[in-house]
Amino acid sequence: MVWMSAAVAATVPMPLVAPLCEHMLVATWSERGVVSVWDCSNHVILLDSPRVGGASGKNLTGHKETPLFSFRGHKSEGYALDWSPTVAGRMASGDCQKSIFLWEPTPAGVWQVEDQPFSAHSKSVEDIQWSPNEASVFASCSVDQTIRVWDCRAAPSKACMLTTQAHSADVNVISWNRKEPLIVSGGDDGVIKVWDLRQFSKGQSAAVLQHHSSAITSVEWNPHDSSVFASAGEDDQVVQWDLGVEADEGVDRDCVPAEVPEQLLFIHQGQKEIKELHWHPQLLGVLLTTALNGFNVFKTISV
């Protein structure tokens, strides 16, 4: 099976509408501008087999893989893709031509994609994140340097409810805190910002963290600790942060480099061109990262 251009965007290990019940689904972007949904259930089952394909590189399931569903309505390739954590099978995809499309699952086991896109951004949509607790709300970030919050119950032309000028350069990635009304963002300016959605419309971030020396490529909140998140950058660093850390009066700050923020917990290095990081959903404090030179799985004593 050939995965084109973008890597796996998300998986859905949850029951869906009846025809797709308990299937492991994966959505992918293609450089051809096509977004596809694949059923990877058999591949996941085969991971438990002691004789998985060996070094032959053959298709593990023994037959040609075809997607369950493909959408060709985007006018260009894209990067933004996210499954809803509250509505099984619902998804949003965003492209480099500033359009976002909403996907809704149907009882027939396919998806209905709205013809009219959400299009308030003026440049490429870089990332999408669904709210962890409001089924109709998602956020997006863009090369136009903004973060926008949408309500998909409204008509696409009126669905953008909140907007803030977030960074001084492209906004590459965002992550929505599962327990608090917070969004963390990272941009081409190398800056990480934390946004309190209760104050979002004022355009003032709750925190600004500067350590990375190049563009931010990935951010994600820890699913078990609402004050902790991790970031990755083009400077080949993965950094763990804790917003709950305050200055220790017993520490001689003269011994600590001024450029090291107090909230910085740990720096992981050794990978090249780090593209994505994720916290393990069950193993507390375990991080997984993907890069040009492979995967890393690690856990620190900090989290």
Side-chain angles (χ1 to χ4, degrees):
M1 177 170 59
V2 178
W3 297 96
M4 298 174 291
S5 184
V8 171
T11 60
V12 183
M14 65 179 76
L16 297 177
V17 289
L20 299 174
C21 183
E22 297 181 355
H23 284 230
M24 181 68 73
L25 303 182
V26 173
T28 60
W29 255 110
S30 162
E31 62 186 0
R32 300 174 183 175
V34 180
V35 180
S36 298
V37 177
W38 308 77
D39 184 356
C40 293
S41 303
N42 289 335
H43 293 267
V44 174
I45 293 171
L46 285 170
L47 289 175
D48 292 329
S49 170
R51 301 176 64 183
V52 180
S56 66
K58 294 181 179 179
N59 188 312
L60 297 182
T61 58
H63 63 274
K64 183 179 179 180
E65 297 290 339
T66 57
L68 290 176
F69 183 83
S70 292
F71 175 64
R72 293 174 169 79
H74 285 284
K75 296 180 180 179
S76 71
E77 66 176 339
Y79 308 101
L81 196 59
D82 195 36
W83 295 101
S84 167
T86 58
V87 180
R90 176 179 283 177
M91 185 171 68
S93 56
D95 61 36
C96 294
Q97 292 294 323
K98 69 186 180 182
S99 295
I100 299 172
F101 286 88
L102 176 66
W103 298 49
E104 295 283 11
T106 71
V110 295
W111 281 260
Q112 178 180 340
V113 184
E114 297 290 340
D115 292 332
Q116 184 179 359
F118 300 85
S119 56
H121 283 296
S122 61
K123 295 182 180 179
S124 173
V125 180
E126 299 295 281
D127 200 6
I128 292 172
Q129 284 275 287
W130 285 94
S131 166
N133 44 46
E134 295 185 75
S136 64
V137 177
F138 66 89
S140 62
C141 64
S142 169
V143 172
D144 66 13
Q145 305 177 9
T146 68
I147 299 173
R148 297 176 185 268
V149 178
W150 311 74
D151 189 334
C152 67
R153 294 173 298 183
S157 60
K158 300 179 180 179
C160 182
M161 301 299 174
L162 297 171
T163 303
T164 192
Q165 191 73 25
H167 288 256
S168 60
D170 303 5
V171 188
N172 296 329
V173 285
I174 52 176
S175 178
W176 201 313
N177 195 300
R178 296 188 184 184
K179 300 179 180 179
E180 303 291 340
L182 302 173
I183 287 178
V184 61
S185 64
D188 265 0
D189 52 10
V191 176
I192 297 168
K193 294 187 179 183
V194 179
W195 304 90
D196 187 332
L197 291 171
R198 294 165 295 191
Q199 307 292 326
F200 192 75
S201 59
K202 296 181 180 180
Q204 183 65 43
S205 59
V208 178
L209 300 170
Q210 294 181 276
H211 168 75
H212 288 281
S213 58
S214 191
I216 309 300
T217 58
S218 188
V219 291
E220 186 171 273
W221 290 100
N222 185 309
H224 305 288
D225 189 333
S226 61
S227 68
V228 173
F229 68 90
S231 61
E234 289 184 358
D235 56 0
D236 298 333
Q237 296 187 67
V238 177
V239 181
Q240 290 182 352
W241 305 85
D242 187 349
L243 297 181
V245 173
E246 298 179 356
D248 190 338
E249 296 181 359
V251 174
D252 184 0
R253 292 299 299 176
D254 293 335
C255 299
V256 180
E259 65 272 15
V260 178
E262 293 161 354
Q263 295 81 7
L264 192 155
L265 293 181
F266 185 84
I267 300 173
H268 175 74
Q269 295 178 296
Q271 290 182 284
K272 298 296 183 183
E273 296 186 27
I274 303 164
K275 295 301 181 185
E276 196 164 8
L277 63 82
H278 289 292
W279 295 93
H280 195 287
Q282 287 89 32
L283 302 178
L284 300 180
V286 173
L287 268 173
L288 299 88
T289 59
T290 63
L292 179 65
N293 57 339
F295 295 86
N296 274 192
V297 182
F298 64 94
K299 176 180 171 61
T300 75
I301 62 171
S302 304
V303 178

